[in-house]
Amino acid sequence: MSETSPKPRPLAGYNFGYLDEATKRMIRRALLKAVCIPGHQVPFGAREMPLPYGWGTGGIQVTSAVLGPSDVLKVIDQGADDTTNAVSIRRFFSRVAGVATTESTAEASIIQTRHRIPETPLREGQILVYQVPMPEPLFKLEPRVAESTKLHALADYGLMQVKLYEDIARQGEVGTSYNHPVMVNHRYLMSPSPIPAFDNPKMHMNAGLQLFGAGREKRIYAVPPYTDVRSLDFEDHPFKPVRAPHACAICGSEESYLDEVITDDAGGRMHVCSDTDYCASRPPLEDAP
Amino acid sequence: MTPGFAEPVLGAQSSFRAMLHALSHPGRIVALPDVPQAPAPLGPAMAALALALCDADTPLWHDGGAAVADWLRFHTGAPLAPAHAARFLAATSAPPALAGLALGSDEAPQDGATLLLQVSALEAAAGWSLSGPGIETTTALRVSGAPLGFVAERAALGALFPRGLDIMLCAGRHIVGLPRTTIIREER
Amino acid sequence: MYVSVKGGETAIGHAHAWLAEARRGDTALAELSTAQIEQQLSLAVDRVMAEGACADRGLAALALKQARGDSTEAAFLLRAYRTTLPRFGYALPVDTAAMAIHRRISSTYKDLPGGQVLGPTFDYTHRLLDFALEAEGLAAPPPAAEAKEEAGRMPAVTAILAQEGLMAPDLASDAEPPDITREPLAFPADRALRLQAMARGDEGFLLSLGYSTQRGYGNAHPFVGEIRMGEVRVEIEPPELGFAIDIGDIMVSECQMVNQFAGTAEAPPQFTRGYGLVVGQNERKAMAMSLVDRALRAPELGEAATAPAQSPEFVLYHCDNVESTGFVEHLKLPHYVDFQSELEKIRAIRARWFAERAP
């Protein structure tokens, strides 16, 4: 069971949410434009944060700019609330903003995530903030940012189509099992961040607002609610979400995304839900009728 | 000089969140919880959005006269600019020709301006039918006091996407977001 | 019933306690004061100050103490602090020709106006460990005979070459320089932006790139026109005053590297300049920076740009050690969700591979 923890007292000597007001305004302006141009990467003046680049500075800056005193914040990494980076970020915001935190997807107004979309569907008004290591979906094919910017301007995504097709020719299926690129509102090719392809379909026509922050690369982008998001595929090779073909050993779910856990050194393993809140909200197997 | 937000940090945050919500759900009428007292003809909603988002980095155009100019400059520090060079425009009456405003480029469409447009009333009733990202099916919106020919003039920019203009309708302390992706159909 | 690994909160608490203990070390020994660090580990302080992009020796010393002497971690601490500071105004360009010189050398001239001033340098020392320093309570070294020169204006060596028309002029500009602390990098990056990024870039990275230009990756033919180090005046001009006021002095290191230029149909053969300026005493970095600056000018000088050091995107996107260390080290974070996908993927592909080869 998860419950919302009470609001702590914010840290003295820092502005609400850590960032100064001018920086927040700059990030907010970028966020608003990102919402108006779904899937387009908006450059922004990302600042150094007290956490290192690559550990969620983009997501933290977005959350800091969005967060208000009445928000309830949930932070997950790998789907779980108790992973070290999630604990560290949640603690950061409870210190610098004094906001209430929760592990419950349903109770949260803002959810900052790394690598997963919660199993519980979002509702209107909820905001999902993704930490993004590399916002440019074309970077492996075209590392020069000036060039990839042109390709986005022209909506020229032939490079990616060719790459996916070559995967299929070589290994019989698309090679990306996570961070599988999506087309947003039929216009922009977008990186969904390194979420498993299993989560991609959740982005389509989601009732919640999805915001993406890349701190080191200094880009912000967004998918508004109820927006068309399609995983790139081919008619004869439709997109296939990947999931371990097992049931959760704790709650028995056959729908959720599973972590594989090694239980001994003799090849023993089990599968449990990656989304700890989802798993805890379901009756455990022993209690099942 | 009338004051800005009672609590600047929280006023800016709540106004921004209202605008984020409004642009995420185009056509939906959103109330601002905390608005400043601005000199006429600057309405409370428009004043709140300007305070929340404008500063020395955002050239600002307005048509509100000297008292409004003083108030905006004092509270935001934004440099006043001609319409074509403005990042934000605060139009309390008919705005300049939309096609002449900053619309961004194909590589940097985010450089398109944000137009805050004051109208006399906003109602969730038949009038316009809106569709596009942020709208599950369609949203009905009735706008009183929109400039003549506004819908057609705005629609003409649609072919330029991703370049474009994002518009916030303001009435009293209420706002409606019209991102460049929203399609407006006028109903009879 | 298996209970999955929990307790991130407790683990972090224990780790931080252990870190605090490790930072302090043996409590039987006196604790280092930040003043001692600032005075006696001054080059480490300077490096942190330059890469932390904050000209404050006291804060840099504190960062070093907190970071257990790890300069990258210390630079990161300093950056995270400076980013929260309000900005009151913009300094005028500093005038290095009016520097209070601690060191000034040229390798292109045996002697030159103002003379060669070696200053406090490791150059020409024999690199032998001095075990005398192990002892405590040493007597203070005698005052240096070559006292700090309070020289007047010392013209730059490159200005001497320019008088003869041998040095391509670097035109002064009143254009507002870009500000990488406020705006993301944008390309094409002009020279002001490139120099700004390198001035707080990682010393090691710039050193390696500079070295690569000397080994054929970038076709450099450099000479040290001049290295100078000393104190320059920092002035601001508040709009309400309308004149400049002195807000203090800072130590800087400057290097002007002289390079050949073959000339084009439009421009005669002449020397061109690579420039490096670093806050504090750090001439190694100023030199490396000047090599890379010159390499990055290849397109404007009509040279083929084929080497890493000639690619503005390659250099500027990777020179920042706060960005680099964060992303490299983020690989320590759990990635098991994605790895799970990879497991399923490779099993499927292997199954197909074996099935296709089954007799």
Side-chain angles (χ1 to χ4, degrees):
Chain A
M1 291 302 289
S2 59
E3 57 210 27
T4 300
S5 50
K7 291 166 72 158
R9 186 194 301 269
L11 193 65
Y14 283 90
N15 190 24
F16 177 84
Y18 179 78
L19 293 174
D20 62 282
E21 289 301 298
T23 299
K24 284 189 203 166
R25 273 195 299 275
M26 175 271 296
I27 296 172
R28 286 167 180 166
R29 292 191 295 259
L31 284 167
L32 294 170
K33 286 300 172 194
V35 168
C36 291
I37 316 165
H40 167 66
Q41 301 165 48
V42 178
F44 81 113
R47 306 291 199 252
E48 285 89 356
M49 299 300 289
L51 279 80
Y53 285 114
W55 301 53
T57 52
I60 292 169
Q61 288 181 79
V62 169
T63 298
S64 169
V66 168
L67 199 65
S70 56
D71 276 308
V72 178
L73 179 69
K74 171 181 166 81
V75 183
I76 52 173
D77 188 341
Q78 313 294 302
D81 298 88
D82 64 347
T83 37
T84 46
N85 202 43
V87 169
S88 155
I89 293 172
R90 186 165 58 242
R91 184 189 284 176
F92 172 73
F93 278 113
S94 76
R95 280 176 78 186
V96 300
V99 292
T101 57
T102 185
E103 297 190 0
S104 158
T105 299
E107 285 171 22
S109 57
I110 298 174
I111 302 167
Q112 181 167 327
T113 181
R114 179 168 170 268
H115 293 194
R116 280 296 327 258
I117 299 176
E119 306 289 358
T120 310
L122 300 184
R123 56 168 199 278
E124 278 191 15
Q126 282 184 308
I127 298 175
L128 185 60
V129 177
Y130 294 74
Q131 302 172 197
V132 181
M134 173 43 85
E136 178 49 68
L138 298 167
F139 84 101
K140 284 189 180 158
L141 307 170
E142 177 47 82
R144 294 167 298 178
V145 172
E147 291 302 312
S148 58
T149 305
K150 278 182 206 149
L151 295 177
H152 284 293
L154 299 167
D156 179 354
Y157 300 127
L159 275 178
M160 185 58 85
Q161 296 283 357
V162 169
K163 190 245 174 210
L164 294 182
Y165 197 80
E166 283 174 351
D167 285 350
I168 292 168
R170 203 170 44 242
Q171 60 186 38
E173 59 182 74
V174 171
T176 46
S177 58
Y178 64 92
N179 208 349
H180 184 92
V182 295
M183 279 297 285
V184 178
N185 193 31
H186 313 286
R187 175 56 179 80
Y188 279 103
L189 187 72
M190 188 188 92
S191 161
S193 86
I195 57 172
F198 174 85
D199 282 340
N200 274 22
K202 297 176 187 166
M203 306 182 88
H204 177 65
M205 292 302 277
N206 195 312
L209 171 62
Q210 302 172 74
L211 303 176
F212 299 78
R216 191 180 41 82
E217 295 287 335
K218 302 176 174 57
R219 294 283 191 282
I220 279 172
Y221 53 101
V223 175
Y226 308 120
T227 297
D228 194 278
V229 180
R230 304 281 173 177
S231 300
L232 230 54
D233 64 357
F234 297 96
E235 263 179 24
D236 51 344
H237 282 93
F239 172 78
K240 266 190 306 197
V242 181
R243 177 185 180 276
H246 299 281
C248 172
I250 297 172
C251 76
S253 174
E254 295 178 6
E255 283 82 44
S256 72
Y257 191 80
L258 299 176
D259 297 335
E260 186 167 312
V261 180
I262 309 295
T263 51
D264 56 43
D265 56 3
R269 61 201 58 209
M270 62 186 292
H271 292 82
V272 292
C273 290
S274 142
D275 184 335
T276 47
D277 171 59
Y278 168 85
C279 194
S281 69
R282 291 163 50 84
L285 276 181
E286 296 93 317
D287 300 349
Chain B
M1 179 85 57
T2 55
F5 288 119
E7 293 200 58
V9 171
L10 303 183
Q13 189 274 336
S14 65
S15 299
F16 158 73
R17 273 293 276 281
M19 184 162 165
L20 183 67
H21 191 68
L23 286 167
S24 300
H25 298 278
R28 207 174 282 185
I29 299 166
V30 179
L32 296 178
D34 182 6
V35 291
Q37 273 191 331
L42 197 60
M46 187 182 277
L49 297 186
L51 253 55
L53 294 168
C54 294
D55 57 27
D57 293 335
T58 56
L60 172 66
W61 176 93
H62 74 98
D63 62 359
V68 167
D70 287 346
W71 192 85
L72 285 173
R73 262 205 306 249
F74 179 80
H75 286 297
T76 69
L80 300 182
H84 68 88
R87 236 348 125 80
F88 282 83
L89 297 101
T92 60
S93 57
L98 301 187
L101 306 181
L103 302 175
S105 63
D106 285 338
E107 290 196 6
Q110 70 276 6
D111 291 345
T114 302
L115 168 63
L116 313 176
L117 177 59
Q118 209 154 272
V119 296
S120 40
L122 297 164
E123 293 167 86
W128 296 354
S129 173
L130 312 185
S131 59
I135 302 170
E136 193 170 12
T137 53
T138 58
T139 293
L141 177 70
R142 182 179 299 165
V143 180
S144 310
L148 208 64
F150 171 78
V151 172
E153 192 184 353
R154 180 181 172 280
L157 303 179
L160 303 175
F161 188 84
R163 300 174 62 214
L165 192 65
D166 306 303
I167 300 172
M168 299 302 300
L169 301 177
C170 306
R173 58 192 299 157
H174 291 90
I175 57 173
V176 161
L178 297 175
R180 64 191 76 180
T181 49
T182 302
I183 295 161
I184 305 179
R185 196 164 52 81
E186 289 181 284
E187 292 175 335
R188 299 268 156 200
Chain C
M1 172 80 219
Y2 175 85
V3 179
S4 71
V5 182
K6 296 271 180 189
E9 187 105 28
T10 320
I12 286 182
H14 289 163
H16 288 183
W18 197 346
L19 173 67
E21 190 189 332
R23 185 199 65 71
R24 177 59 181 85
D26 185 351
T27 52
L29 298 173
E31 184 170 5
L32 263 180
S33 73
T34 56
Q36 286 172 320
I37 294 170
E38 189 193 328
Q39 289 297 312
Q40 297 175 38
L41 296 175
S42 62
L43 296 184
V45 168
D46 282 7
R47 177 170 182 177
V48 168
M49 205 164 66
E51 292 171 0
C54 182
D56 188 317
R57 299 182 55 79
L59 288 177
L62 171 61
L64 266 174
K65 177 173 177 176
Q66 184 178 336
R68 307 172 61 193
D70 176 339
S71 70
T72 301
E73 178 72 17
F76 176 19
L77 284 167
L78 199 51
R79 287 263 196 105
Y81 179 78
R82 84 178 282 288
T83 197
T84 67
L85 299 175
R87 184 164 303 202
F88 297 114
Y90 293 86
L92 299 175
V94 297
D95 183 4
T96 52
M99 178 185 286
I101 296 283
H102 289 210
R103 170 167 167 80
R104 190 269 194 126
I105 58 157
S106 170
S107 66
T108 53
Y109 295 95
K110 183 177 183 191
D111 202 357
L112 67 164
Q116 309 258 19
V117 182
L118 284 183
T121 180
F122 291 120
D123 293 352
Y124 314 113
T125 61
H126 295 156
R127 267 52 173 214
L128 302 171
L129 279 176
D130 183 357
F131 292 102
L133 292 176
E134 275 193 319
E136 293 193 49
L138 285 178
E146 189 184 54
K148 282 174 239 165
E149 305 231 355
E150 291 298 330
R153 287 183 75 86
M154 253 191 209
V157 168
T158 45
I160 298 168
L161 287 167
Q163 282 162 10
E164 211 181 323
L166 295 177
M167 175 58 73
D170 284 345
L171 297 177
S173 164
D174 288 322
E176 196 67 30
D179 183 348
I180 52 163
T181 68
R182 297 295 185 95
E183 303 285 342
L185 285 174
F187 291 89
D190 66 22
R191 196 171 174 205
L193 181 70
R194 302 196 301 253
L195 290 170
Q196 199 177 123
M198 287 193 286
R200 63 178 207 167
D202 183 68
E203 181 188 320
F205 178 79
L206 292 172
L207 180 65
S208 302
L209 276 180
Y211 177 44
S212 74
T213 69
Q214 293 177 280
R215 292 189 65 258
Y217 292 87
N219 195 31
H221 302 278
F223 297 90
V224 170
E226 181 174 343
I227 291 169
R228 57 170 66 192
M229 183 197 60
E231 279 142 5
V232 292
R233 211 167 31 242
V234 179
E235 297 177 320
I236 58 167
E237 198 172 67
E240 64 272 24
L241 289 185
F243 54 85
I245 53 172
D246 186 347
I247 58 167
D249 295 342
I250 57 169
M251 177 80 87
V252 297
S253 305
E254 179 185 59
C255 176
Q256 305 221 38
M257 200 68 84
V258 175
N259 281 262
Q260 282 177 18
F261 171 52
T264 63
E266 288 78 36
Q270 57 189 341
F271 291 116
T272 54
R273 191 173 347 214
Y275 186 75
L277 183 79
V278 182
V279 170
Q281 181 173 349
N282 193 336
E283 101 191 354
R284 180 191 299 125
K285 177 170 165 185
M287 292 175 72
M289 178 175 166
S290 66
L291 290 172
V292 180
D293 170 53
R294 175 58 184 80
L296 289 172
R297 297 179 65 195
E300 95 185 63
L301 297 169
E303 299 168 343
T306 53
Q310 295 168 315
S311 163
E313 283 212 14
F314 184 85
V315 175
L316 301 191
Y317 270 122
H318 304 115
C319 71
D320 191 280
N321 58 15
V322 180
E323 290 176 3
S324 318
T325 195
F327 201 53
V328 167
E329 293 198 59
H330 108 287
L331 295 172
K332 293 183 281 191
L333 294 176
H335 282 77
Y336 54 78
V337 162
D338 291 337
F339 189 69
Q340 180 64 46
S341 296
E342 290 287 272
L343 280 176
E344 298 307 325
K345 170 70 65 182
I346 198 163
R347 282 173 185 143
I349 297 170
R350 279 169 58 86
R352 193 172 299 113
W353 190 90
F354 284 109
E356 281 166 0
R357 285 157 184 76

